[in-house]
PDB file of all heavy atoms in Angstrom:
ATOM      1  N   THR L   1     -14.042   5.620  -1.820  1.00 85.00           N
ATOM      2  CA  THR L   1     -14.090   6.219  -0.463  1.00 85.00           C
ATOM      3  C   THR L   1     -12.839   5.897   0.302  1.00 85.00           C
ATOM      4  O   THR L   1     -12.534   6.586   1.233  1.00 85.00           O
ATOM      5  CB  THR L   1     -15.295   5.616   0.299  1.00 85.00           C
ATOM      6  OG1 THR L   1     -15.216   4.189   0.320  1.00 85.00           O
ATOM      7  CG2 THR L   1     -16.598   6.033  -0.389  1.00 85.00           C
ATOM      8  N   ILE L   2     -12.041   4.934  -0.088  1.00 90.00           N
ATOM      9  CA  ILE L   2     -10.858   4.501   0.693  1.00 90.00           C
ATOM     10  C   ILE L   2      -9.757   5.532   0.552  1.00 90.00           C
ATOM     11  O   ILE L   2      -9.169   5.681  -0.543  1.00 90.00           O
ATOM     12  CB  ILE L   2     -10.382   3.052   0.309  1.00 90.00           C
ATOM     13  CG1 ILE L   2     -11.472   2.067   0.643  1.00 90.00           C
ATOM     14  CG2 ILE L   2      -9.135   2.685   1.119  1.00 90.00           C
ATOM     15  CD1 ILE L   2     -11.235   0.709   0.056  1.00 90.00           C
ATOM     16  N   LYS L   3      -9.535   6.225   1.596  1.00 94.00           N
ATOM     17  CA  LYS L   3      -8.502   7.398   1.583  1.00 94.00           C
ATOM     18  C   LYS L   3      -7.223   6.941   2.240  1.00 94.00           C
ATOM     19  O   LYS L   3      -6.117   7.471   1.854  1.00 94.00           O
ATOM     20  CB  LYS L   3      -9.086   8.590   2.286  1.00 94.00           C
ATOM     21  CG  LYS L   3     -10.358   9.204   1.630  1.00 94.00           C
ATOM     22  CD  LYS L   3     -10.919  10.369   2.428  1.00 94.00           C
ATOM     23  CE  LYS L   3     -12.139  10.946   1.803  1.00 94.00           C
ATOM     24  NZ  LYS L   3     -12.695  12.058   2.580  1.00 94.00           N
ATOM     25  N   HIS L   4      -7.225   6.076   3.263  1.00 96.00           N
ATOM     26  CA  HIS L   4      -5.988   5.763   4.072  1.00 96.00           C
ATOM     27  C   HIS L   4      -5.781   4.305   3.945  1.00 96.00           C
ATOM     28  O   HIS L   4      -6.594   3.477   4.405  1.00 96.00           O
ATOM     29  CB  HIS L   4      -6.258   6.242   5.499  1.00 96.00           C
ATOM     30  CG  HIS L   4      -6.779   7.614   5.667  1.00 96.00           C
ATOM     31  ND1 HIS L   4      -6.027   8.751   5.433  1.00 96.00           N
ATOM     32  CD2 HIS L   4      -7.969   8.039   6.004  1.00 96.00           C
ATOM     33  CE1 HIS L   4      -6.749   9.740   5.638  1.00 96.00           C
ATOM     34  NE2 HIS L   4      -7.961   9.418   6.031  1.00 96.00           N
ATOM     35  N   LEU L   5      -4.598   3.959   3.372  1.00 97.00           N
ATOM     36  CA  LEU L   5      -4.215   2.567   3.316  1.00 97.00           C
ATOM     37  C   LEU L   5      -2.851   2.399   4.051  1.00 97.00           C
ATOM     38  O   LEU L   5      -1.797   2.950   3.724  1.00 97.00           O
ATOM     39  CB  LEU L   5      -3.985   2.156   1.842  1.00 97.00           C
ATOM     40  CG  LEU L   5      -3.645   0.708   1.593  1.00 97.00           C
ATOM     41  CD1 LEU L   5      -4.769  -0.261   2.032  1.00 97.00           C
ATOM     42  CD2 LEU L   5      -3.340   0.437   0.074  1.00 97.00           C
ATOM     43  N   ASN L   6      -2.931   1.621   5.180  1.00 97.00           N
ATOM     44  CA  ASN L   6      -1.760   1.477   6.040  1.00 97.00           C
ATOM     45  C   ASN L   6      -1.273  -0.065   5.914  1.00 97.00           C
ATOM     46  O   ASN L   6      -1.916  -0.956   6.389  1.00 97.00           O
ATOM     47  CB  ASN L   6      -2.121   1.717   7.508  1.00 97.00           C
ATOM     48  CG  ASN L   6      -0.791   1.633   8.414  1.00 97.00           C
ATOM     49  OD1 ASN L   6       0.222   1.198   7.939  1.00 97.00           O
ATOM     50  ND2 ASN L   6      -0.993   1.995   9.620  1.00 97.00           N
ATOM     51  N   LEU L   7      -0.181  -0.259   5.206  1.00 98.00           N
ATOM     52  CA  LEU L   7       0.401  -1.560   4.972  1.00 98.00           C
ATOM     53  C   LEU L   7       1.811  -1.601   5.542  1.00 98.00           C
ATOM     54  O   LEU L   7       2.663  -2.314   4.924  1.00 98.00           O
ATOM     55  CB  LEU L   7       0.377  -1.981   3.524  1.00 98.00           C
ATOM     56  CG  LEU L   7      -1.007  -1.913   2.795  1.00 98.00           C
ATOM     57  CD1 LEU L   7      -0.944  -2.299   1.373  1.00 98.00           C
ATOM     58  CD2 LEU L   7      -2.017  -2.798   3.537  1.00 98.00           C
ATOM     59  N   GLN L   8       2.065  -0.966   6.580  1.00 98.00           N
ATOM     60  CA  GLN L   8       3.365  -0.904   7.085  1.00 98.00           C
ATOM     61  C   GLN L   8       3.787  -2.275   7.754  1.00 98.00           C
ATOM     62  O   GLN L   8       2.968  -2.947   8.382  1.00 98.00           O
ATOM     63  CB  GLN L   8       3.567   0.147   8.237  1.00 98.00           C
ATOM     64  CG  GLN L   8       3.605   1.564   7.718  1.00 98.00           C
ATOM     65  CD  GLN L   8       4.241   2.516   8.541  1.00 98.00           C
ATOM     66  OE1 GLN L   8       4.815   3.567   8.154  1.00 98.00           O
ATOM     67  NE2 GLN L   8       4.271   2.246   9.866  1.00 98.00           N
ATOM     68  N   ASP L   9       4.970  -2.752   7.478  1.00 98.00           N
ATOM     69  CA  ASP L   9       5.505  -3.970   8.046  1.00 98.00           C
ATOM     70  C   ASP L   9       4.667  -5.136   7.810  1.00 98.00           C
ATOM     71  O   ASP L   9       4.282  -5.896   8.679  1.00 98.00           O
ATOM     72  CB  ASP L   9       5.690  -3.753   9.557  1.00 98.00           C
ATOM     73  CG  ASP L   9       6.635  -4.847  10.162  1.00 98.00           C
ATOM     74  OD1 ASP L   9       7.289  -5.596   9.416  1.00 98.00           O
ATOM     75  OD2 ASP L   9       6.655  -4.968  11.421  1.00 98.00           O
ATOM     76  N   CYS L  10       4.292  -5.305   6.505  1.00 97.00           N
ATOM     77  CA  CYS L  10       3.375  -6.469   6.074  1.00 97.00           C
ATOM     78  C   CYS L  10       4.173  -7.525   5.279  1.00 97.00           C
ATOM     79  O   CYS L  10       3.518  -8.306   4.586  1.00 97.00           O
ATOM     80  CB  CYS L  10       2.174  -5.899   5.258  1.00 97.00           C
ATOM     81  SG  CYS L  10       1.007  -4.980   6.246  1.00 97.00           S
ATOM     82  N   HIS L  11       5.478  -7.413   5.248  1.00 97.00           N
ATOM     83  CA  HIS L  11       6.329  -8.361   4.527  1.00 97.00           C
ATOM     84  C   HIS L  11       6.025  -8.346   3.040  1.00 97.00           C
ATOM     85  O   HIS L  11       6.072  -9.384   2.333  1.00 97.00           O
ATOM     86  CB  HIS L  11       6.226  -9.685   5.022  1.00 97.00           C
ATOM     87  CG  HIS L  11       6.544  -9.852   6.532  1.00 97.00           C
ATOM     88  ND1 HIS L  11       7.915 -10.044   6.933  1.00 97.00           N
ATOM     89  CD2 HIS L  11       5.800  -9.797   7.685  1.00 97.00           C
ATOM     90  CE1 HIS L  11       7.847 -10.005   8.304  1.00 97.00           C
ATOM     91  NE2 HIS L  11       6.619  -9.906   8.718  1.00 97.00           N
ATOM     92  N   ILE L  12       5.623  -7.171   2.554  1.00 97.00           N
ATOM     93  CA  ILE L  12       5.321  -7.051   1.086  1.00 97.00           C
ATOM     94  C   ILE L  12       6.676  -6.913   0.383  1.00 97.00           C
ATOM     95  O   ILE L  12       7.502  -6.084   0.734  1.00 97.00           O
ATOM     96  CB  ILE L  12       4.444  -5.825   0.746  1.00 97.00           C
ATOM     97  CG1 ILE L  12       3.141  -5.960   1.502  1.00 97.00           C
ATOM     98  CG2 ILE L  12       4.253  -5.546  -0.689  1.00 97.00           C
ATOM     99  CD1 ILE L  12       2.209  -4.749   1.502  1.00 97.00           C
ATOM    100  N   GLN L  13       6.843  -7.662  -0.698  1.00 93.00           N
ATOM    101  CA  GLN L  13       8.000  -7.610  -1.569  1.00 93.00           C
ATOM    102  C   GLN L  13       7.586  -7.126  -2.957  1.00 93.00           C
ATOM    103  O   GLN L  13       6.491  -6.647  -3.150  1.00 93.00           O
ATOM    104  CB  GLN L  13       8.746  -8.904  -1.535  1.00 93.00           C
ATOM    105  CG  GLN L  13       9.193  -9.356  -0.199  1.00 93.00           C
ATOM    106  CD  GLN L  13       9.944 -10.623  -0.225  1.00 93.00           C
ATOM    107  OE1 GLN L  13      10.044 -11.334  -1.219  1.00 93.00           O
ATOM    108  NE2 GLN L  13      10.504 -11.021   0.975  1.00 93.00           N
ATOM    109  N   SER L  14       8.537  -7.285  -3.872  1.00 88.00           N
ATOM    110  CA  SER L  14       8.242  -6.709  -5.265  1.00 88.00           C
ATOM    111  C   SER L  14       6.968  -7.206  -5.921  1.00 88.00           C
ATOM    112  O   SER L  14       6.164  -6.520  -6.474  1.00 88.00           O
ATOM    113  CB  SER L  14       9.481  -6.962  -6.172  1.00 88.00           C
ATOM    114  OG  SER L  14       9.372  -6.331  -7.385  1.00 88.00           O
ATOM    115  N   GLU L  15       6.678  -8.639  -5.745  1.00 93.00           N
ATOM    116  CA  GLU L  15       5.512  -9.142  -6.428  1.00 93.00           C
ATOM    117  C   GLU L  15       4.302  -8.608  -5.772  1.00 93.00           C
ATOM    118  O   GLU L  15       3.269  -8.320  -6.475  1.00 93.00           O
ATOM    119  CB  GLU L  15       5.554 -10.670  -6.329  1.00 93.00           C
ATOM    120  CG  GLU L  15       4.314 -11.344  -6.969  1.00 93.00           C
ATOM    121  CD  GLU L  15       4.361 -12.834  -6.792  1.00 93.00           C
ATOM    122  OE1 GLU L  15       5.249 -13.376  -6.240  1.00 93.00           O
ATOM    123  OE2 GLU L  15       3.376 -13.472  -7.332  1.00 93.00           O
ATOM    124  N   GLY L  16       4.258  -8.411  -4.438  1.00 96.00           N
ATOM    125  CA  GLY L  16       3.079  -7.941  -3.743  1.00 96.00           C
ATOM    126  C   GLY L  16       2.810  -6.483  -4.156  1.00 96.00           C
ATOM    127  O   GLY L  16       1.628  -6.108  -4.424  1.00 96.00           O
ATOM    128  N   ILE L  17       3.752  -5.628  -4.217  1.00 96.00           N
ATOM    129  CA  ILE L  17       3.584  -4.216  -4.618  1.00 96.00           C
ATOM    130  C   ILE L  17       3.147  -4.164  -6.058  1.00 96.00           C
ATOM    131  O   ILE L  17       2.359  -3.196  -6.465  1.00 96.00           O
ATOM    132  CB  ILE L  17       4.847  -3.365  -4.369  1.00 96.00           C
ATOM    133  CG1 ILE L  17       4.439  -1.839  -4.352  1.00 96.00           C
ATOM    134  CG2 ILE L  17       5.928  -3.555  -5.378  1.00 96.00           C
ATOM    135  CD1 ILE L  17       3.616  -1.461  -3.127  1.00 96.00           C
ATOM    136  N   GLN L  18       3.555  -5.115  -6.910  1.00 95.00           N
ATOM    137  CA  GLN L  18       3.161  -5.159  -8.325  1.00 95.00           C
ATOM    138  C   GLN L  18       1.638  -5.437  -8.448  1.00 95.00           C
ATOM    139  O   GLN L  18       0.914  -4.835  -9.166  1.00 95.00           O
ATOM    140  CB  GLN L  18       3.958  -6.207  -9.079  1.00 95.00           C
ATOM    141  CG  GLN L  18       3.700  -6.219 -10.557  1.00 95.00           C
ATOM    142  CD  GLN L  18       4.687  -7.065 -11.345  1.00 95.00           C
ATOM    143  OE1 GLN L  18       5.427  -7.831 -10.706  1.00 95.00           O
ATOM    144  NE2 GLN L  18       4.605  -7.127 -12.644  1.00 95.00           N
ATOM    145  N   ARG L  19       1.216  -6.313  -7.503  1.00 96.00           N
ATOM    146  CA  ARG L  19      -0.216  -6.662  -7.499  1.00 96.00           C
ATOM    147  C   ARG L  19      -1.029  -5.402  -6.993  1.00 96.00           C
ATOM    148  O   ARG L  19      -2.211  -5.181  -7.417  1.00 96.00           O
ATOM    149  CB  ARG L  19      -0.552  -7.824  -6.580  1.00 96.00           C
ATOM    150  CG  ARG L  19       0.209  -9.120  -7.035  1.00 96.00           C
ATOM    151  CD  ARG L  19      -0.499  -9.741  -8.261  1.00 96.00           C
ATOM    152  NE  ARG L  19       0.049 -11.038  -8.498  1.00 96.00           N
ATOM    153  CZ  ARG L  19      -0.465 -12.163  -8.092  1.00 96.00           C
ATOM    154  NH1 ARG L  19      -1.502 -12.197  -7.405  1.00 96.00           N
ATOM    155  NH2 ARG L  19       0.106 -13.354  -8.385  1.00 96.00           N
ATOM    156  N   LEU L  20      -0.489  -4.684  -6.077  1.00 96.00           N
ATOM    157  CA  LEU L  20      -1.207  -3.510  -5.491  1.00 96.00           C
ATOM    158  C   LEU L  20      -1.220  -2.360  -6.390  1.00 96.00           C
ATOM    159  O   LEU L  20      -2.073  -1.503  -6.437  1.00 96.00           O
ATOM    160  CB  LEU L  20      -0.459  -3.070  -4.210  1.00 96.00           C
ATOM    161  CG  LEU L  20      -0.827  -3.869  -2.970  1.00 96.00           C
ATOM    162  CD1 LEU L  20       0.175  -3.501  -1.880  1.00 96.00           C
ATOM    163  CD2 LEU L  20      -2.234  -3.463  -2.473  1.00 96.00           C
ATOM    164  N   GLY L  21      -0.167  -2.245  -7.302  1.00 92.00           N
ATOM    165  CA  GLY L  21       0.044  -1.102  -8.144  1.00 92.00           C
ATOM    166  C   GLY L  21      -1.129  -0.515  -8.737  1.00 92.00           C
ATOM    167  O   GLY L  21      -1.288   0.789  -8.645  1.00 92.00           O
ATOM    168  N   PRO L  22      -2.048  -1.149  -9.473  1.00 91.00           N
ATOM    169  CA  PRO L  22      -3.140  -0.492 -10.141  1.00 91.00           C
ATOM    170  C   PRO L  22      -4.024   0.346  -9.321  1.00 91.00           C
ATOM    171  O   PRO L  22      -4.738   1.238  -9.821  1.00 91.00           O
ATOM    172  CB  PRO L  22      -3.929  -1.702 -10.745  1.00 91.00           C
ATOM    173  CG  PRO L  22      -2.885  -2.729 -10.889  1.00 91.00           C
ATOM    174  CD  PRO L  22      -2.065  -2.595  -9.698  1.00 91.00           C
ATOM    175  N   GLY L  23      -4.141   0.041  -7.929  1.00 91.00           N
ATOM    176  CA  GLY L  23      -5.107   0.879  -7.150  1.00 91.00           C
ATOM    177  C   GLY L  23      -4.419   1.847  -6.237  1.00 91.00           C
ATOM    178  O   GLY L  23      -5.145   2.675  -5.588  1.00 91.00           O
ATOM    179  N   LEU L  24      -3.069   1.910  -6.217  1.00 95.00           N
ATOM    180  CA  LEU L  24      -2.414   2.797  -5.221  1.00 95.00           C
ATOM    181  C   LEU L  24      -2.684   4.282  -5.433  1.00 95.00           C
ATOM    182  O   LEU L  24      -2.805   4.987  -4.441  1.00 95.00           O
ATOM    183  CB  LEU L  24      -0.919   2.498  -5.297  1.00 95.00           C
ATOM    184  CG  LEU L  24      -0.462   1.179  -4.825  1.00 95.00           C
ATOM    185  CD1 LEU L  24       1.147   1.126  -4.987  1.00 95.00           C
ATOM    186  CD2 LEU L  24      -0.845   0.817  -3.355  1.00 95.00           C
ATOM    187  N   HIS L  25      -2.824   4.689  -6.641  1.00 95.00           N
ATOM    188  CA  HIS L  25      -2.999   6.134  -6.946  1.00 95.00           C
ATOM    189  C   HIS L  25      -4.263   6.724  -6.378  1.00 95.00           C
ATOM    190  O   HIS L  25      -4.433   7.902  -6.311  1.00 95.00           O
ATOM    191  CB  HIS L  25      -2.874   6.430  -8.482  1.00 95.00           C
ATOM    192  CG  HIS L  25      -4.129   5.919  -9.227  1.00 95.00           C
ATOM    193  ND1 HIS L  25      -4.201   4.571  -9.559  1.00 95.00           N
ATOM    194  CD2 HIS L  25      -5.151   6.561  -9.617  1.00 95.00           C
ATOM    195  CE1 HIS L  25      -5.339   4.483 -10.215  1.00 95.00           C
ATOM    196  NE2 HIS L  25      -5.963   5.584 -10.336  1.00 95.00           N
ATOM    197  N   LYS L  26      -5.206   5.814  -6.104  1.00 94.00           N
ATOM    198  CA  LYS L  26      -6.578   6.317  -5.584  1.00 94.00           C
ATOM    199  C   LYS L  26      -6.572   6.695  -4.086  1.00 94.00           C
ATOM    200  O   LYS L  26      -7.519   7.358  -3.607  1.00 94.00           O
ATOM    201  CB  LYS L  26      -7.613   5.259  -5.851  1.00 94.00           C
ATOM    202  CG  LYS L  26      -7.797   4.844  -7.308  1.00 94.00           C
ATOM    203  CD  LYS L  26      -8.911   3.969  -7.554  1.00 94.00           C
ATOM    204  CE  LYS L  26     -10.224   4.698  -7.323  1.00 94.00           C
ATOM    205  NZ  LYS L  26     -11.332   3.792  -7.732  1.00 94.00           N
ATOM    206  N   CYS L  27      -5.565   6.300  -3.361  1.00 95.00           N
ATOM    207  CA  CYS L  27      -5.527   6.573  -1.868  1.00 95.00           C
ATOM    208  C   CYS L  27      -4.862   7.937  -1.663  1.00 95.00           C
ATOM    209  O   CYS L  27      -3.974   8.378  -2.368  1.00 95.00           O
ATOM    210  CB  CYS L  27      -4.703   5.496  -1.155  1.00 95.00           C
ATOM    211  SG  CYS L  27      -5.263   3.868  -1.423  1.00 95.00           S
ATOM    212  N   GLN L  28      -5.331   8.688  -0.628  1.00 96.00           N
ATOM    213  CA  GLN L  28      -4.771   9.874  -0.246  1.00 96.00           C
ATOM    214  C   GLN L  28      -3.602   9.725   0.697  1.00 96.00           C
ATOM    215  O   GLN L  28      -2.639  10.481   0.639  1.00 96.00           O
ATOM    216  CB  GLN L  28      -5.908  10.778   0.466  1.00 96.00           C
ATOM    217  CG  GLN L  28      -6.965  11.237  -0.432  1.00 96.00           C
ATOM    218  CD  GLN L  28      -7.956  12.086   0.232  1.00 96.00           C
ATOM    219  OE1 GLN L  28      -7.728  12.525   1.389  1.00 96.00           O
ATOM    220  NE2 GLN L  28      -9.089  12.312  -0.424  1.00 96.00           N
ATOM    221  N   GLU L  29      -3.685   8.679   1.531  1.00 97.00           N
ATOM    222  CA  GLU L  29      -2.526   8.439   2.470  1.00 97.00           C
ATOM    223  C   GLU L  29      -2.111   6.970   2.277  1.00 97.00           C
ATOM    224  O   GLU L  29      -2.898   6.099   2.413  1.00 97.00           O
ATOM    225  CB  GLU L  29      -2.925   8.656   3.887  1.00 97.00           C
ATOM    226  CG  GLU L  29      -1.781   8.413   4.906  1.00 97.00           C
ATOM    227  CD  GLU L  29      -2.251   8.845   6.341  1.00 97.00           C
ATOM    228  OE1 GLU L  29      -3.347   9.198   6.543  1.00 97.00           O
ATOM    229  OE2 GLU L  29      -1.369   8.669   7.150  1.00 97.00           O
ATOM    230  N   LEU L  30      -0.822   6.795   1.984  1.00 98.00           N
ATOM    231  CA  LEU L  30      -0.309   5.476   1.662  1.00 98.00           C
ATOM    232  C   LEU L  30       0.952   5.198   2.470  1.00 98.00           C
ATOM    233  O   LEU L  30       1.939   5.892   2.368  1.00 98.00           O
ATOM    234  CB  LEU L  30       0.045   5.439   0.148  1.00 98.00           C
ATOM    235  CG  LEU L  30       0.512   4.107  -0.430  1.00 98.00           C
ATOM    236  CD1 LEU L  30      -0.528   3.038  -0.285  1.00 98.00           C
ATOM    237  CD2 LEU L  30       0.799   4.389  -1.903  1.00 98.00           C
ATOM    238  N   ARG L  31       0.812   4.229   3.371  1.00 98.00           N
ATOM    239  CA  ARG L  31       1.923   3.824   4.304  1.00 98.00           C
ATOM    240  C   ARG L  31       2.481   2.509   3.927  1.00 98.00           C
ATOM    241  O   ARG L  31       1.729   1.431   4.108  1.00 98.00           O
ATOM    242  CB  ARG L  31       1.397   3.817   5.780  1.00 98.00           C
ATOM    243  CG  ARG L  31       0.844   5.163   6.258  1.00 98.00           C
ATOM    244  CD  ARG L  31       1.909   6.187   6.297  1.00 98.00           C
ATOM    245  NE  ARG L  31       1.305   7.492   6.778  1.00 98.00           N
ATOM    246  CZ  ARG L  31       1.988   8.662   6.795  1.00 98.00           C
ATOM    247  NH1 ARG L  31       3.196   8.692   6.354  1.00 98.00           N
ATOM    248  NH2 ARG L  31       1.368   9.712   7.323  1.00 98.00           N
ATOM    249  N   LEU L  32       3.653   2.463   3.377  1.00 98.00           N
ATOM    250  CA  LEU L  32       4.278   1.211   2.868  1.00 98.00           C
ATOM    251  C   LEU L  32       5.604   0.944   3.591  1.00 98.00           C
ATOM    252  O   LEU L  32       6.306   0.065   3.186  1.00 98.00           O
ATOM    253  CB  LEU L  32       4.419   1.307   1.396  1.00 98.00           C
ATOM    254  CG  LEU L  32       3.275   1.409   0.519  1.00 98.00           C
ATOM    255  CD1 LEU L  32       3.598   1.698  -0.919  1.00 98.00           C
ATOM    256  CD2 LEU L  32       2.427   0.118   0.626  1.00 98.00           C
ATOM    257  N   GLY L  33       5.855   1.622   4.684  1.00 98.00           N
ATOM    258  CA  GLY L  33       7.136   1.458   5.394  1.00 98.00           C
ATOM    259  C   GLY L  33       7.418   0.092   5.937  1.00 98.00           C
ATOM    260  O   GLY L  33       6.510  -0.739   6.187  1.00 98.00           O
ATOM    261  N   TRP L  34       8.714  -0.235   6.106  1.00 98.00           N
ATOM    262  CA  TRP L  34       9.256  -1.476   6.598  1.00 98.00           C
ATOM    263  C   TRP L  34       8.745  -2.737   5.860  1.00 98.00           C
ATOM    264  O   TRP L  34       8.479  -3.728   6.399  1.00 98.00           O
ATOM    265  CB  TRP L  34       8.770  -1.626   8.100  1.00 98.00           C
ATOM    266  CG  TRP L  34       9.261  -0.449   8.915  1.00 98.00           C
ATOM    267  CD1 TRP L  34       8.481   0.343   9.613  1.00 98.00           C
ATOM    268  CD2 TRP L  34      10.643  -0.084   9.126  1.00 98.00           C
ATOM    269  NE1 TRP L  34       9.252   1.351  10.229  1.00 98.00           N
ATOM    270  CE2 TRP L  34      10.638   1.083  10.018  1.00 98.00           C
ATOM    271  CE3 TRP L  34      11.851  -0.509   8.716  1.00 98.00           C
ATOM    272  CZ2 TRP L  34      11.679   1.824  10.398  1.00 98.00           C
ATOM    273  CZ3 TRP L  34      12.988   0.264   9.127  1.00 98.00           C
ATOM    274  CH2 TRP L  34      12.886   1.329   9.997  1.00 98.00           C
TER     275      TRP L  34
END
């Protein structure tokens, strides 16, 4: 059911996005800016 994921300006770096990776394709709107 989760369509919108807003993680802007969350100090996410390479390791964080690697942990997030497996679920990202399921979101319709993905905000990863800053």
Side-chain angles (χ1 to χ4, degrees):
T1 58
I2 297 171
K3 298 178 180 178
H4 313 286
L5 183 63
N6 184 353
L7 302 180
Q8 287 204 151
D9 196 13
C10 290
H11 302 276
I12 297 172
Q13 299 181 354
S14 187
E15 183 181 356
I17 200 67
Q18 188 170 3
R19 299 288 186 93
L20 278 164
L24 293 180
H25 71 278
K26 299 186 71 174
C27 303
Q28 292 181 12
E29 181 175 1
L30 185 58
R31 303 293 180 188
L32 295 170
W34 304 119

